[in-house]
Amino acid sequence: MSTSATTFVPDAGQPSADHGHHHGHEQSFFFKYIWSLDHKMIGLQYLWTSFFFLFIGGLLAMGIRYQLAYPGVPVPLIGALLPSTVASDGIILPGGYNMLFTMHATVMVFLVVMPLLIGGFGNYLIPLKIGAGDMAFPTLNAMSYWLYVVSGIIILASFFVDGGAAQSGWTAYAPLSSTAAYNNNTQIGQSLWCVGLFINGLSSIAGATNYITTIINMRAPGMTMFRLPLSVWALFLTAWLLILAVPVLSAAAAMLFTDLNFGTTFFAAQGGQPLLWQHLFWFFGHPEVYIMILPAMGLVSEILPVFARKPIFGYKAMVWAMVAIGFLGFIVWGHHMFVSGMNLTLGAAFSVSTMIIAVPSAIKTFNWMGTVWRGSIEFTTPMLFALAFVSMFVIGGLSGIFMASTPVDLFVHNSYFIVAHIHYVLFGGSLFGAFAAIYFWYPKMFGRMMNETWGKIHFFATFIFFNLTFFPMHNLGLGGMMRRIADPTVYEHLRALQPINVFVSWASFGMGLATFIFIWNFIWSLRHGKPAGKNPWNATTLEWTVPSPPGHGNFDVTPTVYNGPYEYSVPGMQKDYLPQNEKAPEGARLEVH
Amino acid sequence: MLRLLPIVLLALLAVAPEAVAEVRESNLYWAPEAATVGAKKVDTLLNFIFYLTATVFVLTQTVYIYYLVKYRKRPGSKAYYSHGNNKLEIIWTAIPTAIFLGLVIYSNRLWAELHSPPPEDSVKVDVVSYQFGWDMRYAGADGQLGKVDVHSYSVDNKFGLVPDDPAGDDDFSSTELVIPVNKPVHIYLHSRDVIHSFYVPEFRLYQAAVPGRTIAWVWFEPTRTGNFELACSQICGSGHYNMKAPIRVVSQEEFDKWQAGKIEAKAQEAKAAADARALRTSTASTHPAGDGPRNEENKL
């Protein structure tokens, strides 16, 4: 055990000691674990299911990297098991490769990052953090989860239909996606993709409605909007983005479906407009980027103060920066289309809004740095992931400036540079944030701590392999390597870069292996972890005032909130944190802000 | 690594007899050497952004890591209680805003310059993309490209030419893009099926080709001779990875020679076709098949 673990001051006895005592009734297995209406169980269902899809999405990524390192060489071990649409004699087919990256992105975006951050942590934390007994609409909540499962099954099943899964990229640009004759006979797979995303969208919309209603109506007495923890703010704004952006994708998916199956021509070159798809997709797709990063920003903003023992720097600036990101996120979609054939002047306009949206992101970064400034920083595993999140987000943000500059986008568009960029934001950002959150809230969810030593090994392995995997992709992109090509060695100018591709692939395999450390730690700690008690991290927000795991209904007595969420190291106080539901003791010099 | 070797060798052998595109040997961690006037300007901006972002990265991360080390938890250490500082918030909002606005002005100026109307004396090439390849069309002896109807592509009319425009009669086609050095080249981009893109890293140029539309704003001026590869960089189906065409930037003399040869060949071809037609009409019964304008109903 590391030193940090010995400093925990558990202020409650055994884990699960008072589990189930809050409301006397015992539930049957089915109602407790399957059709549960408890936000915590639904949150955990989201968590487990997204872990499963993370595994699938990761495997698909390994397939992509194998092909790019060794094009034309049979996949060892599992090659023979691959569907005939993906590989023949173990050799990945070009169309099969297209399937791999299409489904990797689809799975990671819609079945991993969104459900994990929004479904998992949103459901688990919102009621606990605002002092509510549950979500506003528990049944809708359960339905939202099960719609997600159905969408996942449909999307995975598409690998095994005639023609295989969709292979037009997760962006599904028409008319490649909308015309069966063009897309390598993946009409069924592409149609299932549309259906899957449509149902997934219903799940998101249902969840978002629930979050917004809950946060507006069910806050405990004293929990004003500006006393909300930043994670709740982030999820609140994310829910608004979902409700405004997802229906657009649903409509576009429905149109794509009818183009594919019923002879409509929404996105056809004749009688329709291929660029219409791109406008609709990116009108959803850009807010989507923020849908995936805002919750991670919120969760990280929650973790940094706890381990720096300092209030978050510039709480209101953080809130307004997120509001600005949410708003501006809807007027930057055209930056995906600078070189798509869209009007050139429009491109110039979108480049202005795109540069502007970088400002609130910069503000957030400076405030995170301000938070650790003059703190008393404890490097626990969740803190390490949260700190790394900030740095990785800085790299992802800075590389975005290259694309935001229209003339540079002429060069790096659709190259590996953008693959590097998106993974710094989505993996280094969203997933690092998710890992931080898992290590941080695991004790609350399961009543036990995760193993710190293995946690740190997992962190350093992931951090190093992540950078070895994705940083060289910037170089590949500048070297002129296109994304989404099944075999870079067919190009003269890329053949010299092949050693970098091989290096990147081996680094990614290392990153894949590192994840097993995490899985092992997660499972091992369920039974053998150190008992956590109510508040192992000495944190201030309301979820740490109830037992771990909290009983059905969360709070015996509805808490009353007296303080903001980040009152750490208040001068004139004995202990170095002031929970939100405790009145400041005599002599405490709280700063009014 | 070793398993890869035979493939690389085979692939190298397969292309060896042809004129091989530039092979990169040095400076593999940066962009290939720029080959057009515009590309060099893009590089200046690219380098500017690189140094800017690198500076920001190094500065912020140095400060960040310094804080992490200096303010690590030690026995007796206590955190400083502060909720923030509005003056600082204003400073770190204003400075990035100013930098980004400056950058967007620089970017948009260059963007406008790169997309200014192409010079009159440009070599005009119609580049038609399809699953999975490229067709190039050049103006014939008349120096005029024939008009195109973007909805009338067919097996017999692979450039979608409007039949009653005589300017198109002597246009010649090519499967490689041959262009003279130090002379502006104006590209008309078309697609016969799905969205493709015209991507040449040495030209720092990417432009999507959208079916049903003519993209007429792409032009560039090569600054050095050499062989390059035109790549499709927009996923377009199972053959996407291999959708490429050779680009040869040659001297003006060489280009003239190549063009004259092509024009001559086209004339021969047209003559042969006319002879065959004359023969057909004189021997067979009178039926003016294949002579009339095609796809009349599709004309714009």
Side-chain angles (χ1 to χ4, degrees):
Chain A
M1 272 288 161
S2 68
T3 50
S4 58
T6 59
T7 62
F8 301 144
V9 191
D11 48 6
Q14 290 302 304
S16 331
D18 35 13
H19 182 83
H21 284 211
H22 296 267
H23 291 249
H25 60 98
E26 270 302 319
Q27 293 166 303
S28 70
F29 180 85
F30 178 79
F31 284 105
K32 190 166 175 191
Y33 295 108
I34 312 294
W35 185 257
S36 173
L37 302 182
D38 184 325
H39 72 98
K40 297 183 292 296
M41 183 51 69
I42 295 173
L44 292 180
Q45 287 174 328
Y46 265 110
L47 204 67
W48 290 112
T49 316
S50 58
F51 280 174
F52 167 75
F53 284 113
L54 180 63
F55 187 75
I56 302 282
L59 276 183
L60 294 170
M62 298 297 102
I64 293 170
R65 283 318 316 177
Y66 182 81
Q67 168 70 9
L68 288 178
Y70 305 112
V73 181
V75 181
L77 305 174
I78 57 161
L81 302 174
L82 297 174
S84 63
T85 47
V86 175
S88 103
D89 295 330
I91 298 173
I92 295 175
L93 301 163
Y97 175 80
N98 294 355
M99 251 179 247
L100 291 181
F101 68 70
T102 300
M103 300 312 279
H104 164 69
T106 305
V107 166
M108 286 301 193
V109 169
F110 295 101
L111 305 179
V112 178
V113 174
M114 286 170 75
L116 179 58
L117 286 173
I118 306 168
F121 288 103
N123 273 308
Y124 201 95
L125 295 177
I126 289 175
L128 280 169
K129 279 183 171 294
I130 66 173
D134 206 313
M135 283 284 183
F137 308 117
T139 314
L140 189 69
N141 211 11
M143 190 191 86
S144 163
Y145 168 72
W146 284 104
L147 284 173
Y148 156 51
V149 173
V150 170
S151 75
I153 292 171
I154 291 173
I155 287 169
L156 278 197
S158 70
F159 270 107
F160 305 100
V161 298
D162 198 22
Q167 35 178 267
S168 53
W170 85 284
T171 51
Y173 278 14
L176 175 66
S177 57
S178 66
T179 314
Y182 294 147
N183 65 19
N184 204 16
N185 303 317
T186 50
Q187 183 174 4
I188 305 173
Q190 189 74 54
S191 299
L192 288 177
W193 184 87
C194 295
V195 174
L197 289 204
F198 191 89
I199 294 173
N200 192 275
L202 292 178
S203 161
S204 292
I205 295 166
T209 313
N210 216 346
Y211 294 0
I212 293 172
T213 314
T214 306
I215 294 169
I216 291 181
N217 294 304
M218 295 175 67
R219 301 191 311 278
M223 181 63 90
T224 58
M225 286 308 270
F226 283 117
R227 279 182 184 162
L228 281 178
L230 285 174
S231 58
V232 179
W233 260 110
L235 287 158
F236 181 63
L237 294 166
T238 304
W240 280 106
L241 294 189
L242 282 169
I243 257 185
L244 294 169
V246 171
V248 178
L249 175 72
S250 301
M255 290 156 82
L256 183 54
F257 185 85
T258 64
D259 264 17
L260 270 166
N261 296 291
F262 305 128
T264 55
T265 58
F266 291 113
F267 308 123
Q270 198 159 10
Q273 176 50 257
L275 287 187
L276 174 62
W277 168 265
Q278 294 180 35
H279 281 292
L280 293 176
F281 183 85
W282 288 118
F283 187 83
F284 151 80
H286 206 82
E288 172 68 11
V289 173
Y290 296 105
I291 286 168
M292 291 190 282
I293 196 72
L294 278 179
M297 287 174 161
L299 297 169
V300 164
S301 302
E302 203 85 339
I303 293 167
L304 292 177
V306 175
F307 297 108
R309 308 311 290 169
K310 261 192 77 191
I312 193 91
F313 202 89
Y315 174 92
K316 282 193 179 162
M318 286 297 224
V319 172
W320 291 118
M322 286 195 287
V323 172
I325 287 173
F327 173 74
L328 291 168
F330 279 100
I331 55 168
V332 295
W333 82 89
H335 69 214
H336 297 270
M337 300 171 62
F338 288 151
V339 287
S340 66
M342 185 177 73
N343 184 296
L344 295 169
T345 315
L346 202 51
F350 275 116
S351 106
V352 178
S353 57
T354 302
M355 290 284 186
I356 296 297
I357 202 173
V359 174
S361 300
I363 294 173
K364 293 194 77 71
T365 305
F366 290 128
N367 278 303
W368 285 320
M369 289 172 61
T371 304
V372 296
W373 168 71
R374 294 185 71 179
S376 174
I377 303 161
E378 193 179 357
F379 295 97
T380 58
T381 308
M383 185 61 163
L384 288 172
F385 271 106
L387 291 169
F389 166 94
V390 176
S391 288
M392 297 304 98
F393 180 72
V394 167
I395 297 180
L398 290 175
S399 66
I401 296 172
F402 288 77
M403 270 84 74
S405 168
T406 42
V408 178
D409 191 55
L410 274 175
F411 174 35
V412 296
H413 191 90
N414 266 2
S415 74
Y416 255 75
F417 196 89
I418 187 115
V419 180
H421 166 72
I422 196 175
H423 285 96
Y424 266 93
V425 178
L426 269 188
F427 196 131
S430 303
L431 269 186
F432 272 42
F435 278 130
I438 290 166
Y439 281 99
F440 186 68
W441 277 286
Y442 185 97
K444 184 51 59 187
M445 292 170 168
F446 302 105
R448 290 179 184 274
M449 315 296 295
M450 281 180 86
N451 183 297
E452 268 293 309
T453 313
W454 285 109
K456 283 183 173 131
I457 294 171
H458 169 230
F459 166 74
F460 283 107
T462 306
F463 181 76
I464 291 165
F465 283 123
F466 166 82
N467 281 293
L468 292 180
T469 301
F470 293 111
F471 202 86
M473 288 188 185
H474 292 109
N475 306 94
L476 286 169
L478 288 178
M481 180 167 162
M482 299 75 82
R483 70 197 280 210
R484 296 171 169 174
I485 49 167
D487 183 356
T489 60
V490 304
Y491 283 92
E492 209 70 56
H493 71 280
L494 296 182
R495 222 165 280 150
L497 303 178
Q498 193 56 17
I500 308 182
N501 266 318
V502 175
F503 176 85
V504 163
S505 291
W506 280 100
S508 77
F509 301 152
M511 191 163 58
L513 287 178
T515 310
F516 285 96
I517 303 172
F518 168 75
I519 295 172
W520 167 250
N521 192 355
F522 195 99
I523 295 169
W524 183 87
S525 301
L526 283 176
R527 297 185 125 247
H528 306 287
K530 200 172 155 235
K534 271 187 187 173
N535 191 0
W537 312 116
N538 291 337
T540 54
T541 44
L542 292 179
E543 77 272 29
W544 303 106
T545 64
V546 294
S548 309
H552 194 58
N554 299 342
F555 300 91
D556 284 335
V557 182
T558 303
T560 305
V561 173
Y562 300 102
N563 314 300
Y566 305 112
E567 295 299 349
Y568 292 97
S569 305
V570 181
M573 269 184 71
Q574 199 111 63
K575 58 181 183 181
D576 73 343
Y577 67 105
L578 176 60
Q580 285 194 275
N581 63 342
E582 275 179 28
K583 275 188 180 148
E586 202 80 15
R589 296 191 295 281
L590 281 179
E591 195 178 295
V592 184
H593 60 100
Chain B
M1 265 315 265
L2 273 177
R3 278 185 299 177
L4 185 71
L5 204 61
I7 301 160
V8 172
L9 287 177
L10 269 177
L12 281 171
L13 276 175
V15 292
E18 281 295 313
V20 177
E22 273 184 5
V23 181
R24 300 187 56 201
E25 276 157 3
S26 60
N27 199 15
L28 295 178
Y29 292 92
W30 203 248
E33 195 195 336
T36 65
V37 175
K40 286 177 180 160
K41 288 177 181 166
V42 170
D43 273 4
T44 311
L45 177 55
L46 174 71
N47 289 333
F48 176 73
I49 295 178
F50 173 74
Y51 288 116
L52 180 74
T53 52
T55 310
V56 171
F57 178 75
V58 170
L59 282 180
T60 57
Q61 298 307 297
T62 308
V63 171
Y64 189 50
I65 291 166
Y66 172 74
Y67 284 173
L68 295 183
V69 174
K70 179 155 190 224
Y71 300 117
R72 70 189 182 276
K73 183 180 178 170
R74 277 171 294 186
S77 70
K78 192 156 171 26
Y80 169 67
Y81 178 72
S82 159
H83 277 282
N85 181 320
N86 284 338
K87 215 178 269 173
L88 275 175
E89 299 287 348
I90 291 167
I91 291 170
W92 64 45
T93 305
I95 292 176
T97 308
I99 292 174
F100 288 133
L101 285 179
L103 206 53
V104 85
I105 290 168
Y106 182 178
S107 296
N108 279 348
R109 280 196 175 170
L110 181 55
W111 179 250
E113 186 188 331
L114 293 171
H115 293 102
S116 57
E120 284 297 312
D121 62 338
S122 306
V123 175
K124 294 181 177 62
V125 190
D126 179 17
V127 175
V128 180
S129 54
Y130 61 91
Q131 285 182 321
F132 299 95
W134 302 89
D135 282 323
M136 283 27 119
R137 179 172 62 103
Y138 291 75
D142 61 354
Q144 295 276 316
L145 277 172
K147 283 202 190 76
V148 168
D149 170 9
V150 290
H151 294 302
S152 64
Y153 290 105
S154 68
V155 181
D156 306 321
N157 189 7
K158 61 180 184 175
F159 289 104
L161 288 172
V162 176
D164 51 10
D165 179 16
D169 291 347
D170 61 349
D171 291 357
F172 67 85
S173 73
S174 166
T175 51
E176 54 176 358
L177 182 62
V178 181
I179 43 182
V181 70
N182 295 329
K183 200 165 173 205
V185 179
H186 182 188
I187 299 284
Y188 295 86
L189 260 181
H190 289 108
S191 167
R192 288 211 281 272
D193 35 49
V194 302
I195 297 177
H196 300 279
S197 84
F198 182 99
Y199 176 62
V200 189
E202 292 85 355
F203 295 1
R204 310 286 188 266
L205 182 58
Y206 175 110
Q207 175 60 54
V210 186
R213 300 183 57 187
T214 300
I215 307 287
W217 57 67
V218 177
W219 70 275
F220 50 85
E221 189 177 323
T223 52
R224 62 188 172 93
T225 57
N227 295 321
F228 308 100
E229 274 172 316
L230 168 58
C232 176
S233 182
Q234 174 63 52
I235 174 73
C236 64
S238 54
H240 163 64
Y241 74 102
N242 201 18
M243 179 173 161
K244 54 182 184 169
I247 297 179
R248 281 199 292 134
V249 179
V250 296
S251 65
Q252 185 70 48
E253 301 79 62
E254 209 174 322
F255 178 75
D256 291 340
K257 215 172 99 191
W258 175 82
Q259 192 181 31
K262 281 286 194 179
I263 289 172
E264 175 60 25
K266 175 77 185 182
Q268 297 281 348
E269 192 188 305
K271 190 164 173 292
D275 289 350
R277 214 161 34 233
L279 195 66
R280 242 197 345 262
T281 41
S282 63
T283 52
S285 60
T286 59
H287 196 269
D291 235 357
R294 231 192 320 267
N295 290 324
E296 189 128 51
E297 71 278 11
N298 279 337
K299 262 194 336 213
L300 281 179

